[in-house]
Amino acid sequence: MSEKSSDKSTTNNDISTATFETFETAWCPGCGDHIILTCLKRALTELGKNPHDVLIVAGIGQAAKTPQYISANAFCGLHGRALPAAVAAKIANEDLTVVVNSGDGDSYGEGGNHFIHNIRRNVDIAHFVHDNQIYGLTKGQASPTSQTGHVTGVQVNGNINIPLNPMLLALAMGAGFVARGFTGDPEQLVALMKQAILFKGYALLDILQPCVSFNKINTFTDYKSRVTPLPDNYDRSDLNLALKTAQIFDDKIPTGILYSVEKPTYHAQQAALADGKSLVKRPFKLSAVKNVMEKLV
Amino acid sequence: MALNILIGGAAGQGIDTTAAILEQLLKHAGYYVYATRDFMSRVRGGHNFILIRFGPDRITSHSDRIDCLVALNEESVQLHASQLADKGFILCDSSIPTDDSRAIHIEMTNTAKDLGNPRVFGSVAIGALLRLLSLDLVHIAETLKRHVPSSALDLNITAAEQGYDMVAPRLSEPAGDYRHYLTVSGNQALALGALASDVRFYAAYPMSPSTGIMEFLAEHGKDCDIVVEQAEDEIAAINMALGASFTGVRAMTGTSGGGFCLMVEALGLSGIAEIPLVVCDVQRPGPGTGLPTRTEQSDLRFVISAAQGEFPRMVIALRDQQDAYEQTIRAFRLAERYRIPVIILSDQYLADTTSTVEPFMLTKSAAEREANDNQDLADTTPKTSAFDNGYRNYQLTEDGITPRVYPGHPNYFAAADSDEHDELGHITESPEVRHQMMNKRMRKLDKLKTELQEPRLIGSPKCKTLLLGWGSLMGPLEEAIALLEKDHPGQVSALVFGDIFPLPVGQLQALAPQAKRLVHVEQNATGQLASLIRESTGISCHSGILKYDGRQLSGEEIVSRLKGEIIHE
Ligand SMILES: Cc1ncc(C[n+]2csc(CCOP(=O)(O)OP(=O)(O)O)c2C)c(N)n1
Ligand code: SF4
Ligand SMILES: [Mg+2]
């Protein structure tokens, strides 16, 4: 199978597909999304995942096309609504590796409420936000992370809103895994993706992803000059350090795992999931339902 | 014949528990019991009441004429004494001032105080009421056990016994043989139907009057292997239900009209991505917040057209508790068989009304999966011929139905796509494929229409006046027809729709030409069923009986309005 096939059908139907294939994308040449897709494939492969046990979930946007371009189970839902679908899929079938790939607008804007509350839920999924600080698919309006002053077709006098800080918000909400990557450092990105997937609980990885077509401010060169990998001796279990680090987003942007501490997951706490077997694989309990009805006599 | 008890008081006075205990006791005594709730949307104060009608035969409607008024406060006497039958009585605490000759004052509050717990005054009232109704205390202990904490059980029993001794028998009603029947509300019956269907995932955001469904499922979640998730909003709830359903479990969400408004985009996702989904809308009066704890049938036109674009859907209106159970099971089946959203339309009246019903049929078959959706994730052998040349998530088929695979299938990938897509679920803008896919999806309706259930006819097919109703008005319409039989035998019948979209038109088209008058009876202001009938068949109603004050029409009220408007013309 060639690296890029224009026809998803050949592999989608191929019974023997045990590797992650990619398909021809509709992304602009030079877009950071290409790197994210390649890194995602590498991370999943290096973790030894079977594509049939992987579910990629997205909302709508350029980033959200990711599930279309990789041979795995795919759920392309509604704009902003990737997280609810993803967590429920994981709740129903915990044997799946569930990864959300979606944009900054999708994840933090339209889906902002789900972002906040799924941190609290702590379902074991990985959330990769392709953060290009812009709405790509709708051709360049401000996103929640767009920097102040950014002039767009809508923000004609420059964006006047305070940019949303996803790292700080996630930490404040109690997220167990908070990390930032950059498409200009694929080695680091693959490592971050793997750790996010392995992390037990909700794992947020915000990925700086240059949009070559609609974000002329936060370019590859701009990010490249600002990103600063966290030092090897950085203490990922120190929440105060993480909160401090998360506030840095200026001429320096720290990348790496800002915080990683596992807490009880949704599955560990939800009584109905206690016996550890996937809901979808459990037999129907007729006698339990009978008992319920008998109580109403 | 039936007797009618009204228990009235302020929110926080425990009338719900008192009523639940009474309902149980009456059923144990063999009666058929039908109890409706009239609650204000507040936690303290205000005026709430519950009507408990009971007798030896089936009862299908509330009635505003009462025989026993149990007044837990003065306001209840003032508001309801006029509804009291001549032979009726008012049971109230000695502190309530009233010179109504029908009042029976007893020491509820003081007795409870003397017993050391002011909260047992309800049990004093229950004991007294049982005596007044010429009943005994045989079942009091086992009934109270279910409703009061065990530490307070003995005290409550004593309170009931003391109440019993304070009065003498007044009324008596022959009993029936309903001891072994269920007592269920519409919400509970619906939730039971979901349980029987092997629902595994229910996500919702609390909203009256739908919350009872979530609470009931949550109560039994652990025993029945169901995850009940309180979502951050209704948008999350429905998208969660879709995510869960996509993995192969039966999933559902429920809400009232306001929450349904937030769900509509995802309803379309179910339509285009062909993910089976059951959504329940327990209607209350709108628009906006409307009347949160009251009833209306005003979401019909909304739910049949909600969401942008065109896609097949089915809407089933629930007519009574039996329907709530059976149609919920059917909703799961149809959603799965056709890979469509199925909307269950209930309303506050049905949701909160408890009724005696024959124990529901419970067999494994309701939980069995549809042929196109039947798979064992560990089984690698393709189940249907659709898989012979490899699997396509949206394969074009003659009837539009494509078998599903779940994520985790060892050979194939599952794909869901809210963008227009080709057979593989791959995004496309090809005009040909768009055309094919729209036709494929809409084609599913052709087969679905062959499975529609015709409305229920109450009364003779050769009637002069045919009443047209839907949903929870079935019970009141049934009582109205029975009442009219006496003075106008064979003249008035009713056709009550359960399946409502697509609208089954066969029986209507057969009966309408013979009837002199068609009268639609609906709990809304604009006659939504009438307009749907006109749109689907060209048949127009001559007049309508509409009510939209948040209170359900009773059988008696339908009769009096019908007499005023039609029969005397
Ligand atoms: C309910 C709804 N509102 C708006 C849109 C239009 N829309 C599609 S994608 C998008 C923003 C995409 O931005 P982002 O999530 O950052 O993704 P990107 O394209 O930048 O990768 C918008 C506004 C939509 N599809 N649905
Ligand atoms: S518009 Fe921007 S985000 Fe979208 S593909 Fe092009 S470069 Fe990437
Ligand atoms: Mg973006």
Side-chain angles (χ1 to χ4, degrees), chain A residues 8-9 12-13 52 68 73-74 76-77 81 88 92 113-114 121 266 272 279-280 282-285 295-297, chain B residues 27 146 183 200 223 225-227 229-230 232-233 240 247 391 408-409 413-418 424 426-427:
Chain A
K8 189 170 179 172
S9 65
N12 207 6
N13 281 331
H52 291 277
Q68 297 270 339
N73 299 289
C76 298
R81 316 302 168 195
N113 202 28
H114 311 310
R121 235 172 232 122
Y266 182 92
L279 274 183
V280 69
R282 295 190 201 184
F284 175 53
K285 282 187 171 172
K295 279 187 200 149
L296 294 165
V297 174
Chain B
K27 199 194 67 182
R146 292 201 195 182
T183 303
R200 284 297 159 86
D223 292 340
D225 285 358
I226 300 160
V227 170
E229 184 60 16
Q230 181 175 323
E232 55 271 27
D233 54 38
M240 281 180 171
T247 68
Y391 175 69
H409 192 283
F413 292 116
D417 200 345
S418 79
L424 292 158
H426 206 97
I427 200 166

Side-chain angles (χ1 to χ4, degrees), chain A residues 27-28 31 33 62 132 209 211-214:
Chain A
W27 287 322
C28 309
C31 171
D33 284 336
Q62 293 288 65
N132 52 14
Q209 171 247 320
C211 167
V212 295
S213 297
F214 297 110

Side-chain angles (χ1 to χ4, degrees), chain B residues 484 545 557-569:
Chain B
L484 286 162
I545 295 177
E557 193 176 352
I558 293 171
V559 170
S560 73
R561 287 187 57 178
L562 200 58
K563 281 186 170 157
E565 287 183 27
I566 291 137
I567 293 174
H568 287 171
E569 259 178 28

Side-chain angles (χ1 to χ4, degrees), chain B residues 414-461:
Chain B
D417 200 345
S418 79
D419 277 290
E420 189 57 275
H421 42 256
D422 61 18
E423 289 187 276
L424 292 158
H426 206 97
I427 200 166
T428 182
E429 296 193 27
S430 146
E432 292 78 28
V433 177
R434 162 68 176 176
H435 214 215
Q436 286 171 343
M437 282 295 155
M438 276 297 288
N439 292 342
K440 164 201 181 340
R441 289 189 293 266
M442 297 313 287
R443 203 152 60 224
K444 294 191 281 188
L445 279 175
D446 297 340
K447 190 168 171 200
L448 177 65
K449 280 180 183 162
T450 66
E451 294 199 57
L452 293 179
Q453 296 179 351
E454 288 290 335
R456 181 174 155 213
L457 175 68
I458 303 168
S460 156

Side-chain angles (χ1 to χ4, degrees), chain B residues 41 207-208 258 284-293:
Chain B
S41 180
M207 185 170 190
S208 298
R284 70 191 215 188
T289 309
L291 293 164
T293 58

Side-chain angles (χ1 to χ4, degrees), chain A residues 6-20 23-24 50-57 59-60 65 68-79 81-93 96 110 113-115 117-118 120-121 266 270-275 278-297, chain B residues 24 27-28 146 179-184 188 192 195-201 216 219-233 235-237 239-249 265-267 269 273 275 308 325 359-364 367 377 389-393 405-419 424-427:
Chain A
S6 59
D7 180 10
K8 189 170 179 172
S9 65
T10 47
T11 47
N12 207 6
N13 281 331
D14 186 348
I15 290 185
S16 65
T17 299
T19 53
F20 293 92
F23 311 105
E24 188 178 311
N50 175 345
H52 291 277
D53 295 329
V54 173
L55 170 62
I56 315 285
V57 182
I60 293 296
K65 299 245 169 85
Q68 297 270 339
Y69 304 144
I70 181 167
S71 60
N73 299 289
F75 188 104
C76 298
L78 297 171
H79 184 45
R81 316 302 168 195
L83 281 177
V87 297
K90 181 72 181 182
I91 288 169
N93 186 351
L96 297 173
E110 190 89 342
N113 202 28
H114 311 310
F115 174 54
H117 293 282
N118 280 302
R120 299 175 49 229
R121 235 172 232 122
Y266 182 92
Q270 166 61 254
L273 298 174
D275 79 3
S278 272
L279 274 183
V280 69
K281 294 174 185 170
R282 295 190 201 184
F284 175 53
K285 282 187 171 172
L286 183 69
S287 61
V289 180
K290 254 194 187 118
N291 286 341
V292 174
M293 200 174 309
E294 271 157 19
K295 279 187 200 149
L296 294 165
V297 174
Chain B
Q24 200 118 46
K27 199 194 67 182
H28 277 314
R146 292 201 195 182
R179 276 170 206 90
H180 304 295
Y181 277 42
L182 309 177
T183 303
V184 285
Q188 288 172 334
L192 270 174
L195 288 182
S197 308
D198 196 19
V199 70
R200 284 297 159 86
F201 185 83
F216 189 84
E219 186 185 341
H220 305 293
K222 189 167 160 39
D223 292 340
C224 301
D225 285 358
I226 300 160
V227 170
V228 175
E229 184 60 16
Q230 181 175 323
E232 55 271 27
D233 54 38
I235 303 176
N239 282 282
M240 281 180 171
L242 285 168
S245 175
F246 174 70
T247 68
V249 299
E265 190 190 16
L267 199 68
L269 172 59
I275 304 170
Q308 74 276 25
Y325 177 76
F360 298 130
M361 274 272 284
L362 179 59
T363 62
K364 263 200 182 132
L377 278 177
N389 304 310
Y391 175 69
R392 290 164 182 253
N393 286 278
V405 300
Y406 311 148
H409 192 283
N411 298 342
Y412 307 110
F413 292 116
D417 200 345
S418 79
D419 277 290
L424 292 158
H426 206 97
I427 200 166

